[in-house]
Amino acid sequence: MNDETGLIDLVRYPVTEPASATLLAQVRRLREALQTTGAAEAPGFLSQTGLASCVADAAQLASLRYNSVGTGSAYLEEPAPHWLADHPRGMRGRYSVGVVAYDQFPPASPIRRLYESAFVMAFIAAVLQRKALYRYADPMGALNLAVMGEGDELQWHFDQTDFVVSLALRDAETGGDFEVAPKIRDAQSENYAAVSDVLDGSSSGVTRLPMTPGTLLIFAGRNSLHRVSPIAGATTRLVALFGYDTRPDTRSSPHLQLKRYGRTA
């Protein structure tokens, strides 16, 4: 399967035919979902053979992961000294996740070929209603494989970019739910009171997005608080994360690189 489009269910998502009625209908549906909830799910984006190929690829790459364990803030930054421990910017949550960086994916990797596909990027740009997208310039952060097993979790946080694209490959036996408080803040208000409620354990306004293998998810995470709940069981949860931005030369901060990969670029 040398052509990345062979990994995609082209009947359902004919990304090679951008003007087709089928693809335009999918784009409209995903745009509406993104505007309403901040999350656009494309279930069955991968074909059955494509999913099997990507899972095998991910399982082989998983041993290369860097295991990052610690506590972090919801804002993915070191809290300034003046933030009190009970303020949302001073509060910390536990994270434990293994990550395979972009520079560890071989060129023949089917996951990498999907990420680098011009067809896939154009499809995502159409959903986001952007004239152009750019792949991350970050040699580690452009493409990641998140590997999460027994006891792993990802604390409540906001993303540092306007959107994140993920590809669900394999679910855990228990836990590993993607939970989100959609659009809890905006450019006019940080809404600290509501954020604090979620960080304190309130489930009000929190929804769960099912982790269905083969699903492509476009998620507006800058203003939506989200987490991956604690995982149990022997089966590792595998998710590919595609890094795009509306501006060229985007890179992760050195602080985030060090936390995520144990090294900086």
Side-chain angles (χ1 to χ4, degrees):
M1 195 176 294
N2 296 320
D3 182 351
E4 79 279 1
T5 60
L7 303 164
I8 301 167
D9 184 343
L10 293 177
V11 174
R12 198 169 183 179
Y13 301 96
V15 296
T16 57
E17 304 172 49
S20 73
T22 299
L23 191 68
L24 291 175
Q26 290 282 16
V27 168
R28 284 194 299 272
R29 178 185 65 81
L30 293 168
R31 282 178 180 174
E32 291 172 1
L34 194 62
Q35 291 168 0
T36 303
T37 67
E41 294 181 278
F45 184 76
L46 295 183
S47 64
Q48 290 186 349
T49 54
L51 177 59
S53 179
C54 287
V55 169
D57 183 34
Q60 186 172 18
L61 288 167
S63 63
L64 302 177
R65 67 188 179 273
Y66 172 76
N67 293 309
S68 178
V69 180
T71 60
S73 80
Y75 300 86
L76 301 183
E77 62 188 15
E78 278 300 313
H82 65 274
W83 293 118
L84 300 178
D86 61 352
H87 188 280
R89 285 196 176 268
M91 298 171 74
R92 290 178 174 272
R94 180 180 182 273
Y95 63 83
S96 176
V97 59
V99 177
V100 179
Y102 184 37
D103 58 7
Q104 295 175 293
F105 285 77
S109 158
I111 299 172
R112 178 170 179 165
R113 287 190 280 114
L114 280 168
Y115 167 64
E116 294 177 348
S117 168
F119 292 117
V120 173
M121 189 163 63
F123 172 63
I124 294 166
V127 173
L128 293 166
Q129 300 185 70
R130 307 283 185 169
K131 290 184 178 180
L133 289 183
Y134 301 90
R135 298 183 190 93
Y136 273 14
D138 193 313
M140 294 184 292
L143 169 63
N144 284 176
L145 174 67
V147 184
M148 303 179 73
E150 177 78 35
D152 287 343
E153 61 182 306
L154 197 56
Q155 88 276 18
W156 287 107
H157 65 283
F158 295 104
D159 293 329
Q160 293 183 332
T161 54
D162 289 336
F163 64 91
V164 170
V165 179
S166 66
L167 184 63
L169 299 176
R170 188 171 70 192
D171 198 4
E173 292 175 20
T174 305
D177 297 325
F178 187 70
E179 298 178 345
V180 56
K183 299 186 176 181
I184 197 171
R185 69 172 182 175
D186 56 36
Q188 285 69 48
S189 172
E190 287 287 349
N191 200 8
Y192 285 132
V195 172
S196 182
D197 286 345
V198 174
L199 297 181
D200 283 334
S202 172
S203 59
S204 177
V206 174
T207 61
R208 183 177 66 86
L209 298 180
M211 199 285 196
T212 306
T215 296
L216 184 76
L217 171 67
I218 304 172
F219 177 65
R222 185 187 292 276
N223 292 326
S224 294
L225 191 63
H226 54 287
R227 75 163 185 166
V228 177
S229 65
I231 289 172
T235 303
T236 51
R237 178 183 188 270
L238 301 172
V239 176
L241 302 169
F242 295 175
Y244 306 104
D245 206 338
T246 54
R247 297 167 298 176
D249 303 321
T250 300
R251 290 173 176 260
S252 301
S253 68
H255 171 78
L256 190 57
Q257 286 179 341
L258 192 59
K259 289 280 187 181
R260 186 169 291 168
Y261 315 110
R263 53 196 170 105
T264 58

